[in-house]
């Protein structure tokens, strides 16, 4: 039903910045949260950041350490992830996620999301 179009990935040097965008489309839906997961080489999928719609709360993975900022544009059904001071460890495929559930146990769990984007590659190297 919902389609998620991701953009903004690419290759940068350590310390560089990237802005990821994710636009949701495909019909009428009630958004409860949108955000980003990532999966690096040989690693498990992990939460990067999410933002909730009802209360505008944000949640970040521990590794973010203040370097990333998630935001949203409700009119455009778009969520953004500004990533600064990127490290080689940030190299991964980043997936946009969307949820319309009224209640979840934890936004940190991948099972809390109903739609996933195709992923956009972020590569950080010298």
């Amino acid at each position: 039903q919902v389609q998620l179009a991701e953009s903004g990935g690419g290759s940068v040097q350590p310390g560089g910045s990237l802005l990821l965008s994710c636009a949701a489309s495909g019909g009428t839906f009630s958004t409860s949260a949108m955000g980003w997961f990532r999966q690096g080489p040989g690693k498990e999928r992990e939460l990067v950041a999410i933002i909730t719609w009802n209360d505008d709360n944000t949640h970040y993975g521990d590794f973010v350490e203040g370097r990333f900022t998630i935001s949203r544009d409700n009119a455009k059904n778009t969520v953004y992830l500004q990533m600064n001071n990127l490290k080689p460890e940030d190299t991964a495929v980043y997936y946009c996620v969307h949820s319309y559930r009224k209640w979840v146990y934890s936004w940190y769990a991948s099972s809390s999301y109903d739609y996933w984007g195709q992923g956009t590659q972020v590569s950080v190297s010298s």
Side-chain angles (χ1 to χ4, degrees), residues 7-109:
S7 63
S11 181
V12 297
Q13 296 181 359
S17 298
L18 285 173
L19 176 63
L20 303 185
S21 300
C22 176
S25 63
T28 59
F29 60 92
S30 179
T31 301
S32 60
M34 289 184 67
W36 301 85
F37 278 74
R38 74 181 189 184
Q39 187 165 19
K43 297 182 178 180
E44 296 183 0
R45 187 171 52 196
E46 61 183 346
L47 175 77
V48 180
I50 64 99
I51 184 167
T52 61
W53 250 244
N54 289 340
D55 52 11
D56 199 28
N57 287 153
T58 58
H59 306 274
Y60 296 93
D62 289 341
F63 61 86
V64 170
E65 299 173 335
R67 299 176 298 130
F68 302 169
T69 302
I70 189 169
S71 61
R72 69 186 186 193
D73 185 332
N74 291 347
K76 297 182 180 296
N77 294 312
T78 299
V79 65
Y80 305 93
L81 182 68
Q82 177 65 54
M83 303 190 293
N84 299 319
N85 193 25
L86 285 162
K87 305 175 181 180
E89 307 93 270
D90 296 317
T91 297
V93 176
Y94 286 68
Y95 297 92
C96 181
V97 296
H98 172 280
S99 178
Y100 59 77
R101 303 181 189 189
K102 276 68 177 180
W103 184 91
V104 300
Y105 179 74
S106 174
W107 292 116
Y108 289 84

